[in-house]
Amino acid sequence: MFRTTRRAVFRLAEVGAALSALYHRARLLDAEHLPTKGPVLLVGNHGVWGYETPVFFHLVHQATGRYPLGLAERGFFRIPLIRTVLPWLGGVEGTRDNALAALGEGNLVVCYPGGAWETFKRPQGRYTLRWERALGFVRLAARTGVPIVPFAGFGVDDTFVYPPGEERLCLRLSSEEKYRMPLVVGLGPLPLPVRITFAVGEPHEPPPADAPESRLSAFRDRVAASVRRLLLRACHA
C-alpha cells in the first residue's frame, strides 16, 4: 500500500511538472553539458518559492534520462507532510552526509547554494545570488572530486509578484526557522505564464580536497560568475 501510494504521488508530480513546463514554454539550453552517467553536482540560482525546481528536473530528465536528486532546505523537513513526501519526489535533506551518499551512489545532484535566502527573496533581490556564506558545495565537490556543472534559470523570479506591503505579509516554516517566507501572487491561483529558460554551462573541475579556504572561496566565486553569465545567455536566448 505504501509503495503504491509513493508511486502514485511520484507519477502525479511528473504530470504536474510536465504541465508546468508546457505552461511556461520551458526550455533547456546546452544540455550536452549534462553527463548521462556518473556523479555530478549541478549548481545554480533559485527562483521565488523554488517553484521552478520541478520544471528544471523534468527538463533534465528529458535530456539525460536521469532523475535528479535535489538537496533541499532542512527547514522543510520539520514539516510532517513535506518531510514524508519530499523524498518521494527526489528531494533529500541538504546535509553533508546525504550529499556524500547521493554522489557516492553516482547520482546527478542539484544544489542551490543560495538556499532559502534566494527562495524567499524580496523584490529587490531578483536574480541576485546569495552565495556570500556558501562554501559547503565547494567542499563537497573537493572532497569527492566530482565536477560542478553550473546552470541558470531566467524567468524563475517572474512567476509571481509581490503585493503592496509584502514586508508585513510573511510566514515562517516553523517557530524555529530564521527565514521569513514572503507571500506572493500570480494569475489567480496560477503563477504568471512567463517563459522559463534554463542554460547549462561547461563543467568546473573542483580544487583538491586539501585546498585552503581562500582557494575554495575563489572557486565559489568562479562558479557564481559562470551562473551570472548563464543568466544572460538564458535571458537573451
Side-chain angles (χ1 to χ4, degrees), residues 66 79 84 101 105 114 119 141:
R66 306 177 70 179
I79 304 172
T84 300
E105 293 167 0
T119 302

Side-chain angles (χ1 to χ4, degrees), residues 8 20 29 47 56 66 79 83 99-100 103 111 132 138 141 145 151-152 154 156 159 166 192 197 206 225-226 232 234:
S20 184
L29 308 178
F56 181 59
R66 306 177 70 179
I79 304 172
R83 181 173 61 229
L100 287 171
L103 290 173
C111 173
E132 301 86 357
V138 179
F151 71 90
F154 186 78
V156 301
T159 51
E166 58 84 23
L192 298 173
T197 300
S226 293
L232 291 174

